[in-house]
Amino acid sequence: MTNSWTDIKNTDLVIVMGGNAAEAHPCGFKWVTEAKHHRGAKLIVVDPRFTRTASVADMYAPIRPGTDIAFLMGMIRWMIENDKVDWDYVKNFTNASFLVREDFGWQDGLFTGYDEGKRDYDKASWDYQFGEDGYALTDPTLQDPRCVWNMLKAHVDVYTPEFVENITGTPRDKFLKIAEMIGETSAADKTMTSMYALGWTQHSKGSQNIRGMAMLQLILGNIGVRGGGMNALRGHSNIQGLTDIGLMSNLLPGYLNMPTEKEPDWTTYMESRQFRPLMEGQTSYWQNYSKFMVSFMKSMWGDAATPETDWAYHYLPKLDVPAYDMLRMFELMHQGHVNIYFCQGFNPLLALSNRGKNTEALAKLKLLVVMDPLETETSRFWENHGIYNDVDPAAIQTEVIQLPSTCFAEDEGSLVNSGRWLQWHWPGATAPGQAQTDVWIMAQIFLRLRELYRTEGGVVPEPILNLTWDYADPNEPTAGELAREMNGRALTTLTDPNDPSKVLVEAGQQVLNFSQLKDDGSTMCGNWIYSGSWNENGNNMARRDNSDPDNTGTYQNWAWSWPMNRRILYNRASADLDGNPRDPSRPLIWWNGERWEGYDVPDIAVTAPPGQVMPFIMNPEGVSRLFSRGMMRDGPFPTHMEPFESPMQNVFNDRMRGNPVARVFESDVEQFATSEEFPFVGTSYRLTEHFHYWTKHNRVNAVMQPEFFVEISEELAAERGIARGGMVRVWSKRGSVQAKAVVTKRIKPLICGGKPVHVVGIPLHWGFTGAARKGFGPNTLTPFVGDANIETPEFKAFLVNIEPLAGEPIA
Amino acid sequence: MSTETASQPVTAVANPPTVPLAAGFDARDLVRISATTQQPTPERQLTPVAKLIDVSKCIGCKACQTACVEWNDTIPEIEENVGVYENPHDLTPDMFTLMRFTEYENEETNNLEWLIRKDGCMHCEDPGCLKACPAPGAIVQYSNGIVDFIHENCIGCGYCISGCPFDIPRLSQRDHTVYKCTLCSDRVAVGQGPACAKACPTQAIVFGTKDDMKAHAEERIADLKSRGYDNAGLYDPAGVGGTHVMYVLHHADKPSLYEGLPDDPVIAGTVEAWKGPTKTIGLAAIALAAVGSIVHNVMTRPNAVSVNDERQAGDIVDAAAPPDSTPPRRDQA
Ligand code: SF4
Ligand code: SF4
Ligand code: SF4
């Protein structure tokens, strides 16, 4: 989230699209209820199904799964055409005036530079024009046909309301009504908040869905302000923490990058990361990259990380591919290239696409280790459960070890919520049986491995032997110790650069925050964005003061949020060029003549004069991007692409299947279907009664939603002769499931390209372990392909067929 | 390195803010006792309470249902899916409240509406269940409006079921007594709100004095009217003397849209006619002296019979209330 849950109460308009907040985030949704009740805010829901969120919405419109970009580009077009643009914001705080290279263009659904053989773009032309001083060229009058604004105008021109209706199936009158409601928030004193989740990410162009809304929000001036923002509702408790801490194969903590093979040494690695400002006087905060990176290396390897060793850079693995995401790992496993798989808090048998392939892949492992508080289907993948897991245990040689772990309620630590708040928690119960904390388990593995390296040697033992492990009890580092390490401390005494006699931090003390980190080896910090969370003031994550002066919703003294306890990112953009609040009724920060002050921690150097330093300090431009240069693999503007399995051809280019740069493995291509074979659109989702595959173990949740079902329209039920509550078979090119049928008015056929499109809704909470009835999940059916930028699988749009099941359901 | 753990949280104000309610009510506060000729006259009048359920805020998450199961320690069946969202499919002796879902196509606006109503006992000011009950002391009403079943006194005849205009009580096959929502009388007695209200994430369920709840409802109705629900209103039906569980409805002119909510509930004529000094069936000997034991059961025992209690169920059917002493009176808060 750019903003916080509590800030949603400040909004005038909530749009829930690409998510189902009431259903999947009922507790956070209370802030929507609050905004509706006390501000008279309106709620718009755009979703293939009339959801629980829609049940309390002021406006609902259906949309065909996987066509959000067309809808959003249509919105942008409408805003421009109807002059619903926050011009001050667009001109000052976005790159609208930047000139784009002459050789950049878009045609037949593709941007310039496409290489069909490589399924990739040469992105060189997706850039600004630069002057001799190295700064980007601009036209503040927005007259130049090559300026971003005019390029955007041309790009969205095709997305007329008629075009949008034809692609998305959203009735034109509803689209136009929503456009009017959204358009009102282009006024400086009106805001809209976008709440989205996996309904946008789980597509082969998921990142571009989000870009589309982010651009719309920038045009309306709704970023960096109270009640605005792009608010990603994270799907798991602490999944925000997972990304923050860099638990992805290509990330290090704090969104630093794992080096690649093309970066064999420190200098090469740093060269491409310390972005120089692209406009004069801008902050370009990533110029500090080396301070965060060196402090991280010091936290990892202490005295072994020296300037002479390039901070032990050679200890870091170098990626030979962009990422070892879960799709790639299971592809490799399926090819027999993986011997051991550690599965920690993850149930891939149900959570990953194309289950049949994953069962085969797991059976090729020598050893599978599952660390989980619960029985998972993955740990039992070898067990026969009739139709629900029809395998032959005798044919599976994989050794499986289950390590029972504690759950969140049984240990201490912090959880990071969607709003980037690190909230400390204490154990509420004692773990049952032999369950141990994940930290204890990892420590035991590490200590034994280190001992083996010490006694037996091995290839490259140094990164293991020299890993810093200075915990009071090496067997079980405490949450407090780990948190203090993430905050970072001074290794030698830090003094004021302007006055060396002034001591800032004594050696051994916690740094105040990341502004004190250094790239000379005098500081260590496990995760720079968490720096400030546990400094010499103590554990700021444990703060529980919910006072909120003037009811701004910032709650500065409740827990701690990264970065720097800032609650609304880009909050400098809430003030105008002179530093005055753009909406006097909702001030956030302002310039008092000498410095920035206000209700939130300013997202700008406090002494940076207004009018000079622009609000988007992480971008070398200083402004936000309507045109994202080469930052994304699939284009600098979002463009409509069909899902890999779709009932419609891409209207721009009928040779194009899915996202033209999404990575697909050859063996999976054969398993993509056409709408001739599979006429209906499947989409998967969560229900409020359950949390993923966990709560089916809990009897009360099992009572609330006991059994796997699919949802279909009355029209499709009639067409296929399906009765409410009857058993149906749903199958895709990859597998088949059996479910009860919920026949509902909440799903309606959509008219796209002149033809009706039927949606089959498939909730995901059942499996073959737990208290609830045995069932299937949607991922027996889903295709094995992910987003072009971050590889999130396309769970939200695929093709299926459905028929009533003959005879009685199999128990 | 330090092994210190963080200090415990200091909470300034609870979120959502909760002001403790006046605690403590007991036998002295009974205003009605089933099948008892000498209705007590309490020395004091408690402030009437009410639970307000704002149907327009409810997202149908069933947290209230879950909280009710947890608080009352009931063990509902894991049923099948029968093609709808209601689970269990109906109120049961182990499920005192149930979300009912209606898909309503509003012809005036051309919009689909998914009306989600939390069903359960309405705690009628004029309770048909109590009036129909022939077992002395099996159903009682306190002066704050709460209608409660005293299982030890229930004979399992099921008359209350036919007496209830809302079709709420359910007969347990396990102990042959009847169950329904208690309005969390055991929580309210110690100054807490109902478990369902506490769990509700959207504060669609709120609890307080009936006057406060009516005022809160007015605010909500004004909001709904501003959104085009011209017939938004409060459901507090006069036919049963008003209720201590009320709804804010978007379509207060058509309560029956909400899956079986009666448009105009009244106590069945047969119950009203039957009511009188002769209605008790051989158990009239129960005198006010027994009230102490009734109250003891309310305040100190779980309202539901656990599986472990099942074996003793036969004894409970016996009409005689367990000879127990009156519990110490609690101080008034
Ligand atoms: S907990 Fe509240 S929002 Fe959820 S179903 Fe119950 S009344 Fe509705
Ligand atoms: S709703 Fe039915 S059970 Fe509840 S008090 Fe009224 S009559 Fe009795
Ligand atoms: S008031 Fe108590 S008993 Fe009644 S529905 Fe709510 S939680 Fe259940």
Side-chain angles (χ1 to χ4, degrees):
Chain A
M1 281 186 169
T2 55
N3 295 37
S4 64
W5 282 108
T6 51
D7 173 66
I8 291 168
K9 73 169 185 173
N10 291 319
T11 200
D12 301 299
L13 181 63
V14 181
I15 181 158
V16 177
M17 182 175 175
N20 183 3
E23 182 107 29
H25 304 84
C27 290
F29 191 76
K30 70 159 71 79
W31 298 102
V32 177
T33 315
E34 186 64 20
K36 287 184 74 188
H37 186 155
H38 289 119
R39 274 195 75 84
K42 296 279 196 298
L43 169 62
I44 298 171
V45 172
V46 182
D47 198 288
R49 302 173 298 125
F50 189 101
T51 59
R52 277 174 159 115
T53 314
S55 79
V56 290
D58 296 278
M59 180 73 204
Y60 163 75
I63 185 170
R64 175 163 67 91
T67 63
D68 303 69
I69 291 173
F71 187 100
L72 293 166
M73 292 303 104
M75 277 295 152
I76 291 179
R77 185 186 183 281
W78 191 93
M79 298 303 144
I80 296 174
E81 190 179 26
N82 293 280
D83 196 25
K84 295 294 181 189
V85 174
D86 188 332
W87 284 110
D88 282 344
Y89 196 101
V90 165
K91 286 184 180 163
N92 297 323
F93 298 158
T94 76
N95 64 357
S97 63
F98 285 50
L99 302 187
V100 174
R101 271 171 60 151
E102 293 290 348
D103 52 350
F104 167 76
W106 177 91
Q107 210 184 349
D108 300 334
L110 295 165
F111 296 94
T112 40
Y114 189 59
D115 181 333
E116 198 173 336
K118 287 194 195 150
R119 288 187 60 82
D120 207 355
Y121 282 110
D122 171 1
K123 302 190 282 273
S125 68
W126 309 358
D127 210 344
Y128 305 134
Q129 301 178 26
F130 290 100
E132 299 197 332
D133 53 6
Y135 293 135
L137 298 179
T138 65
D139 172 17
T141 68
L142 305 187
Q143 297 304 310
D144 193 305
R146 295 307 294 180
C147 78
V148 166
W149 186 253
N150 291 325
M151 301 293 294
L152 174 64
K153 239 162 116 173
H155 182 75
V156 299
D157 192 51
V158 56
Y159 298 92
T160 61
E162 297 70 29
F163 179 91
V164 172
E165 180 176 45
N166 187 50
I167 302 264
T168 63
T170 307
R172 199 176 323 173
D173 59 332
K174 295 213 189 279
F175 174 82
L176 291 172
K177 178 80 195 90
I178 291 173
E180 268 171 44
M181 291 170 80
I182 292 179
E184 283 178 30
T185 70
S186 62
D189 61 353
K190 286 267 184 291
T191 56
M192 171 171 84
T193 179
S194 158
M195 297 171 71
Y196 69 92
L198 303 147
W200 268 349
T201 53
Q202 291 176 342
H203 292 277
S204 53
K205 67 279 182 169
S207 310
Q208 293 285 5
N209 289 333
I210 297 155
R211 274 284 300 154
M213 180 57 93
M215 289 161 62
L216 179 60
Q217 284 287 63
L218 288 172
I219 289 168
L220 299 164
N222 288 337
I223 299 284
V225 300
R226 280 165 58 185
M230 282 302 290
N231 295 314
L233 317 182
R234 308 304 310 259
H236 266 278
S237 172
N238 212 20
I239 197 74
Q240 181 68 48
L242 179 144
T243 36
D244 294 347
I245 213 71
L247 284 186
M248 324 264 272
S249 62
N250 58 343
L251 287 182
L252 295 171
Y255 304 94
L256 305 177
N257 307 113
M258 190 69 97
T260 70
E261 276 185 347
K262 293 189 193 109
E263 296 158 331
D265 56 75
W266 176 257
T267 318
T268 319
Y269 175 80
M270 285 312 306
E271 252 167 16
S272 59
R273 290 189 167 76
Q274 287 167 305
F275 300 113
R276 304 267 164 264
L278 296 180
M279 291 297 282
E280 196 179 351
Q282 298 313 310
T283 311
S284 194
Y285 204 79
W286 281 118
Q287 289 184 100
N288 296 304
Y289 195 104
S290 61
K291 298 177 186 166
F292 313 145
M293 187 69 186
V294 170
S295 298
F296 166 71
M297 300 301 275
K298 291 298 287 181
S299 81
M300 289 288 286
W301 288 294
D303 291 343
T306 60
E308 295 72 40
T309 63
D310 274 350
W311 312 108
Y313 182 74
H314 57 298
Y315 288 0
L316 283 177
K318 312 289 181 297
L319 284 166
D320 58 340
V321 293
Y324 285 95
D325 53 276
M326 64 174 177
L327 291 170
R328 188 186 298 275
M329 279 314 299
F330 273 78
E331 169 68 15
L332 289 170
M333 206 185 287
H334 195 248
Q335 290 173 10
H337 297 315
V338 182
N339 292 327
I340 306 177
Y341 190 64
F342 263 79
C343 195
Q344 186 180 9
F346 182 34
N347 191 3
L349 191 72
L350 296 187
L352 182 54
S353 349
N354 194 1
R355 172 168 158 188
K357 173 174 176 173
N358 305 326
T359 303
E360 289 171 15
L362 291 167
K364 290 179 184 167
L365 290 170
K366 291 202 171 72
L367 175 66
L368 170 66
V369 184
V370 178
M371 294 163 62
D372 209 284
L374 300 166
E375 286 288 357
T376 68
E377 280 69 14
T378 304
S379 62
R380 300 278 156 170
F381 82 95
W382 49 271
E383 225 170 46
N384 188 297
H385 288 262
I387 57 166
Y388 304 104
N389 199 45
D390 197 6
V391 296
D392 174 10
I396 297 173
Q397 298 305 313
T398 311
E399 182 181 359
V400 181
I401 297 176
Q402 281 182 274
L403 302 176
S405 65
T406 52
C407 80
F408 65 94
E410 294 156 354
D411 56 28
E412 183 180 353
S414 72
L415 294 171
V416 191
N417 77 2
S418 301
R420 297 167 284 103
W421 294 10
L422 283 73
Q423 305 190 86
W424 200 262
H425 67 91
W426 292 262
T430 308
Q434 297 176 14
Q436 296 281 0
T437 65
D438 289 71
V439 175
W440 183 90
I441 297 171
M442 298 304 290
Q444 299 310 309
I445 294 170
F446 167 71
L447 294 173
R448 283 163 174 76
L449 260 181
R450 187 174 66 179
E451 196 48 32
L452 284 173
Y453 272 110
R454 190 170 281 153
T455 52
E456 297 177 13
V459 185
V460 205
E462 296 84 7
I464 301 279
L465 293 177
N466 291 331
L467 191 71
T468 306
W469 202 265
D470 51 2
Y471 308 107
D473 176 4
N475 285 303
E476 189 161 23
T478 66
E481 284 174 314
L482 295 169
R484 289 166 59 87
E485 195 171 276
M486 280 189 260
N487 180 88
R489 64 175 187 269
L491 298 171
T492 57
T493 299
L494 304 182
T495 53
D496 188 336
N498 302 322
D499 176 7
S501 67
K502 217 170 121 195
V503 171
L504 294 178
V505 191
E506 296 281 2
Q509 279 194 339
Q510 296 291 99
V511 294
L512 183 65
N513 55 45
F514 55 73
S515 70
Q516 293 181 332
L517 297 178
K518 297 259 190 281
D519 55 7
D520 60 3
S522 59
T523 58
M524 67 79 101
C525 173
N527 186 358
W528 73 279
I529 60 174
Y530 288 177
S531 191
S533 61
W534 192 322
N535 49 24
E536 290 297 325
N537 298 331
N539 182 355
N540 296 314
M541 301 170 276
R543 298 181 306 164
R544 292 292 184 275
D545 175 356
N546 66 358
S547 56
D548 184 29
D550 298 331
N551 292 317
T552 62
T554 45
Y555 296 100
Q556 277 289 318
N557 298 317
W558 178 278
W560 184 88
S561 73
W562 72 260
M564 294 275 196
N565 200 32
R566 189 171 291 132
R567 307 293 161 136
I568 299 185
L569 297 180
Y570 318 119
N571 57 31
R572 158 67 187 90
S574 68
D576 61 20
L577 273 191
D578 299 325
N580 299 317
R582 300 175 64 247
D583 175 2
S585 77
R586 265 177 294 207
L588 188 53
I589 67 162
W590 53 88
W591 177 256
N592 71 3
E594 282 164 14
R595 39 195 308 123
W596 290 96
E597 61 177 26
Y599 297 106
D600 197 6
V601 177
D603 196 354
I604 192 140
V606 288
T607 52
Q612 290 176 25
V613 183
M614 290 296 147
F616 292 83
I617 60 168
M618 300 309 285
N619 291 353
E621 297 94 323
V623 294
S624 58
R625 303 186 185 111
L626 295 172
F627 174 88
S628 64
R629 305 172 67 210
M631 311 293 287
M632 293 173 78
R633 289 193 59 225
D634 41 7
F637 291 131
T639 189
H640 167 68
M641 297 169 257
E642 289 290 341
F644 272 83
E645 289 190 339
S646 172
M648 262 181 105
Q649 297 278 27
N650 188 318
V651 289
F652 297 133
N653 182 341
D654 58 15
R655 289 188 53 240
M656 219 163 105
R657 173 165 222 176
N659 183 331
V661 298
R663 181 199 61 208
V664 278
F665 299 109
E666 231 158 83
S667 59
D668 297 313
V669 176
E670 291 152 27
Q671 288 195 301
F672 293 147
T674 64
S675 56
E676 281 85 59
E677 307 161 90
F678 292 89
F680 309 125
V681 176
T683 188
S684 68
Y685 46 88
R686 256 155 77 168
L687 298 169
T688 201
E689 290 90 339
H690 283 289
F691 182 75
H692 287 261
Y693 304 105
W694 303 9
T695 55
K696 63 178 159 63
H697 289 271
N698 180 356
R699 192 184 162 99
V700 186
N701 296 78
V703 167
M704 299 300 147
Q705 275 298 2
E707 189 176 15
F708 179 45
F709 64 89
V710 297
E711 294 184 282
I712 55 171
S713 67
E714 292 175 343
E715 291 81 358
L716 179 56
E719 198 178 307
R720 291 275 148 154
I722 294 166
R724 169 171 289 130
M727 280 301 275
V728 291
R729 180 169 91 95
V730 180
W731 73 105
S732 75
K733 200 155 181 180
R734 295 156 294 273
S736 168
V737 300
Q738 297 177 12
K740 287 287 178 67
V742 168
V743 179
T744 175
K745 295 187 201 307
R746 293 176 295 101
I747 295 181
K748 294 242 159 59
L750 296 155
I751 306 297
C752 300
K755 282 184 293 194
V757 172
H758 291 287
V759 172
V760 178
I762 311 172
L764 57 71
H765 302 287
W766 292 272
F768 55 82
T769 66
R773 287 170 181 273
K774 286 185 185 183
F776 299 86
N779 291 331
T780 302
L781 309 171
T782 51
F784 206 82
V785 62
D787 171 66
N789 292 284
I790 51 159
E791 312 297 351
T792 305
E794 188 151 63
F795 292 140
K796 290 292 189 261
F798 50 95
L799 292 176
V800 295
N801 207 338
I802 188 168
E803 67 181 11
L805 194 71
E808 275 304 295
I810 303 149
Chain B
M1 208 181 189
S2 154
T3 55
E4 76 190 89
T5 55
S7 55
Q8 294 292 309
V10 184
T11 303
V13 189
N15 185 19
T18 50
V19 184
L21 298 156
F25 60 86
D26 55 35
R28 294 171 300 168
D29 300 307
L30 291 176
V31 287
R32 282 193 173 106
I33 301 172
S34 59
T36 303
T37 43
Q38 293 157 286
Q39 296 290 338
T41 317
E43 285 166 21
R44 58 176 187 176
Q45 167 66 46
L46 297 174
T47 313
V49 296
K51 180 165 82 176
L52 180 70
I53 301 168
D54 183 348
V55 174
S56 75
K57 267 190 179 180
C58 170
I59 54 175
C61 69
K62 304 185 190 169
C64 49
Q65 251 183 270
T66 305
C68 185
V69 169
E70 300 269 6
W71 177 256
N72 291 299
D73 271 333
T74 60
I75 306 180
E77 285 297 307
I78 296 172
E79 299 181 352
E80 288 181 14
N81 183 299
V82 296
V84 294
Y85 269 51
E86 280 88 349
N87 288 296
H89 310 129
D90 192 10
L91 294 170
T92 75
D94 292 312
M95 191 70 261
F96 304 163
T97 185
L98 180 72
M99 307 313 300
R100 296 193 186 272
F101 299 80
T102 309
E103 296 177 351
Y104 165 57
E105 266 163 344
N106 187 333
E107 280 171 11
E108 279 166 40
T109 60
N110 234 338
N111 285 335
L112 178 68
E113 294 176 26
W114 200 9
L115 306 174
I116 308 173
R117 178 175 68 90
K118 178 183 183 294
D119 195 10
C121 175
M122 300 297 288
H123 294 271
C124 310
E125 182 64 25
D126 202 3
C129 57
L130 188 149
K131 288 188 167 172
C133 175
I139 305 180
V140 297
Q141 186 181 37
Y142 299 95
S143 65
N144 60 9
I146 294 179
V147 177
D148 219 352
F149 284 16
I150 310 300
H151 293 272
E152 284 73 0
N153 299 332
C154 173
I155 56 171
C157 66
Y159 284 15
C160 55
I161 301 171
S162 36
C164 171
F166 296 95
D167 184 27
I168 298 299
R170 293 292 183 272
L171 184 62
S172 166
Q173 295 306 312
R174 195 166 56 223
D175 66 0
H176 306 287
T177 70
V178 172
Y179 288 87
K180 71 159 189 73
C181 157
T182 66
L183 204 61
C184 282
S185 55
D186 47 354
R187 291 175 61 89
V188 175
V190 294
Q192 302 270 317
C196 54
K198 183 167 171 115
C200 176
T202 60
Q203 295 177 42
I205 310 174
V206 285
F207 180 81
T209 69
K210 185 158 177 175
D211 286 345
D212 282 356
M213 294 304 102
K214 280 178 153 173
H216 179 74
E218 281 313 312
E219 209 181 290
R220 294 298 307 136
I221 290 160
D223 176 62
L224 285 171
K225 289 195 166 158
S226 79
R227 289 169 202 271
Y229 294 104
D230 295 338
N231 296 311
L234 181 68
Y235 186 80
D236 179 22
V240 292
T243 52
H244 294 270
V245 172
M246 306 184 292
Y247 292 113
V248 170
L249 302 177
H250 341 56
H251 308 290
D253 55 330
K254 296 177 212 145
S256 53
L257 279 181
Y258 298 83
E259 194 72 33
L261 186 62
D263 284 330
D264 196 9
V266 286
I267 301 175
T270 47
V271 173
E272 287 286 14
W274 180 50
K275 180 189 161 205
T278 58
K279 80 170 194 176
T280 56
I281 49 167
L283 298 164
I286 284 279
L288 254 177
V291 162
S293 64
I294 293 167
V295 172
H296 176 77
N297 296 329
V298 170
M299 299 305 179
T300 61
R301 301 198 49 183
N303 291 309
V305 174
S306 73
V307 176
N308 293 339
D309 290 342
E310 198 175 342
R311 273 175 236 104
Q312 302 152 17
D315 308 337
I316 300 170
V317 184
D318 192 284
D324 233 336
S325 61
T326 307
R329 299 203 136 185
R330 66 180 69 243
D331 287 328
Q332 300 307 307

